[in-house]
Amino acid sequence: MGITKEDKEAIVREFGIHESDTGSAHVQIALLTNRIQHLTEHLKIHIHDEHSRRGLLQLVGQRRRLLRYLKKKDVDAYMDVTSRLKIRR
């Protein structure tokens, strides 16, 4: 199942730069991390679900690109986001 509207709003409030911010790299990384965590749990149960595994790898790659962009633009924000989301880098 996907992310609920309330969960998404909570993530946007927590990581957004301002109240109507939905497109900044901070928010996108947080939303992707949430989806990655859900897919990881799904794949622990459904080991042979190769289509979801491919989707997971695409999400991880997209998050990696966003993290690289954020690190290049603002190192402090990068360190803040990775520490708050507990992402190893």
Side-chain angles (χ1 to χ4, degrees):
M1 188 172 129
I3 186 172
T4 64
K5 183 178 179 181
E6 292 80 21
D7 290 341
K8 186 173 183 177
E9 288 173 353
I11 291 171
V12 169
R13 261 186 269 114
E14 183 179 350
F15 289 93
I17 298 170
H18 50 83
E19 60 192 37
S20 63
D21 178 21
T22 57
S24 70
H26 307 83
V27 174
Q28 290 183 54
I29 291 167
L31 290 172
L32 284 171
T33 300
N34 187 303
R35 288 181 63 194
I36 288 169
Q37 290 170 349
H38 284 291
L39 265 177
T40 302
E41 292 301 316
H42 169 81
L43 288 172
K44 286 180 182 176
I45 299 167
H46 305 281
I47 298 169
H48 298 290
D49 188 355
E50 297 300 328
H51 292 90
S52 293
R53 187 173 313 281
R54 182 174 189 274
L56 173 65
L57 291 175
Q58 288 177 333
L59 292 175
V60 169
Q62 185 176 0
R63 183 179 70 177
R64 185 183 304 131
R65 286 190 301 273
L66 281 168
L67 283 167
R68 190 179 317 135
Y69 166 79
L70 189 59
K71 185 177 183 179
K72 185 171 62 173
K73 290 293 182 182
D74 187 3
V75 176
D76 294 331
Y78 167 81
M79 296 302 288
D80 180 51
V81 168
T82 54
S83 66
R84 286 167 62 187
L85 292 172
K86 298 178 181 72
I87 298 174
R88 294 178 298 160
R89 284 307 278 180

